[in-house]
Amino acid sequence: MTGITGRVNLHLIARICTWITVALLGLGTIWCFVKQNYFEAGAGLASLAVYLWFQFGLNRIKNRPILRIPDGMKLIISLTALTSVILGRFFAFYKQISWFDKVQHLQFGLIFCILGLALYYRFNWHHVRARAHSPGFIVLFALSFSHLCCFGWELYEYSCDRLFGTNMQAWKQGPVHGLLDTMNDLVFGLAGAILLAMIAFKLMKRDHEQFYRQFISGFIPSNVMNPHERKPEQQS
């Protein structure tokens, strides 16, 4: 009973935080439009769309849902939106606090690594049992996925700076400063991914099946059979 109550409370907290974050993102976007800060307003609107996709869209594809986002991950995503968009962009923490940007890249590296782990299990359940996989290869995939996402973000910043004259990569302080900012962003993103990958690797080496049940199974859509739920006669 206690476990069920805890799950219900976590689910309720996650839903409340989700809708509070949606409201804050929407209000912040409207406020930027009123202040005629159209770039930040556009960024807020895009962030709101991405946030809604992660919270509600990944498991809404009827024939082939991508991932199910468990309540704990929903809270992490909400926290990331609050710090990165609302504090960072709407309240200009990126400009006011020098280290704030690097903390965000560290945080994104962690989150992308978690998603990389979930995606690996999601699309490999049907041909190899998870406990037979090499933990080293799994974390390598998650690291690669995370760093690819971080690289994609830097491409987004570069494109915005070239198209709209923004200063997301700090190039206006000089080309060397812009290069250092970009490389430091990638380094911090990679550091976050490595930290998460090291923890995951240690847990997998200790008990791979328990790691899957506790940290991964919640990401697998309900209509997708996973390797730890196969019947013995179905396993080779």
Side-chain angles (χ1 to χ4, degrees), residues 55-75:
Q55 295 288 45
F56 302 109
L58 288 174
N59 199 32
R60 292 297 186 270
I61 302 174
K62 293 182 179 179
N63 295 329
R64 193 174 176 81
I66 302 173
L67 286 176
R68 180 176 62 188
I69 304 299
D71 292 328
M73 191 65 184
K74 287 183 178 181
L75 286 172

Side-chain angles (χ1 to χ4, degrees), residues 7-236:
R7 287 195 295 271
V8 171
N9 290 338
L10 181 61
H11 180 70
L12 180 61
I13 292 170
R15 289 191 67 84
I16 292 173
C17 290
T18 295
W19 289 114
I20 289 175
T21 304
V22 168
L24 290 174
L25 288 173
L27 290 173
T29 300
I30 294 172
W31 180 71
C32 288
F33 270 117
V34 171
K35 293 293 185 179
Q36 297 183 341
N37 190 345
Y38 297 120
F39 178 80
E40 294 297 347
L45 189 61
S47 299
L48 177 59
V50 172
Y51 178 79
L52 290 172
W53 168 250
F54 271 101
Q55 295 288 45
F56 302 109
L58 288 174
N59 199 32
R60 292 297 186 270
I61 302 174
K62 293 182 179 179
N63 295 329
R64 193 174 176 81
I66 302 173
L67 286 176
R68 180 176 62 188
I69 304 299
D71 292 328
M73 191 65 184
K74 287 183 178 181
L75 286 172
I76 293 174
I77 293 173
S78 295
L79 176 63
T80 302
L82 287 170
T83 56
S84 179
V85 183
I86 296 170
L87 295 180
R89 307 202 70 86
F90 296 158
F91 288 92
F93 273 34
Y94 286 121
K95 297 178 181 178
Q96 298 176 23
I97 303 175
S98 59
W99 49 263
F100 186 82
D101 179 55
K102 305 312 173 192
V103 172
Q104 294 306 299
H105 282 278
L106 185 76
Q107 185 175 338
F108 278 116
L110 284 163
I111 293 173
F112 289 143
C113 192
I114 294 172
L115 293 176
L117 288 170
L119 286 170
Y120 183 91
Y121 284 95
R122 163 66 178 86
F123 291 104
N124 286 278
W125 66 267
H126 58 284
H127 62 84
V128 182
R129 289 180 297 175
R131 62 175 175 270
H133 288 189
S134 167
F137 183 80
I138 296 173
V139 297
L140 178 61
F141 173 87
L143 275 172
S144 302
F145 176 82
S146 176
H147 205 53
L148 178 63
C149 291
C150 292
F151 174 72
W153 176 259
E154 294 303 317
L155 286 180
Y156 161 74
E157 288 189 346
Y158 175 81
S159 300
C160 288
D161 286 352
R162 300 284 78 76
L163 293 173
F164 306 110
T166 55
N167 194 35
M168 298 178 73
Q169 292 188 317
W171 62 276
K172 291 184 179 180
Q173 286 91 319
V176 174
H177 193 282
L179 175 62
L180 290 174
D181 179 80
T182 301
M183 293 306 299
N184 285 332
D185 288 349
L186 291 173
V187 167
F188 274 87
L190 181 60
I194 290 175
L195 176 62
L196 192 284
M198 290 174 61
I199 295 172
F201 180 81
K202 184 176 181 179
L203 292 174
M204 280 188 276
K205 293 291 287 185
R206 181 182 300 171
D207 191 331
H208 201 155
E209 191 164 345
Q210 184 180 11
F211 169 79
Y212 175 86
R213 288 198 307 268
Q214 290 186 350
F215 301 104
I216 302 297
S217 60
F219 287 93
I220 308 302
S222 56
N223 64 334
V224 176
M225 181 172 55
N226 65 66
H228 293 277
E229 294 172 349
R230 293 181 183 178
K231 294 179 182 179
E233 60 269 18
Q234 291 177 302
Q235 298 177 357
S236 58

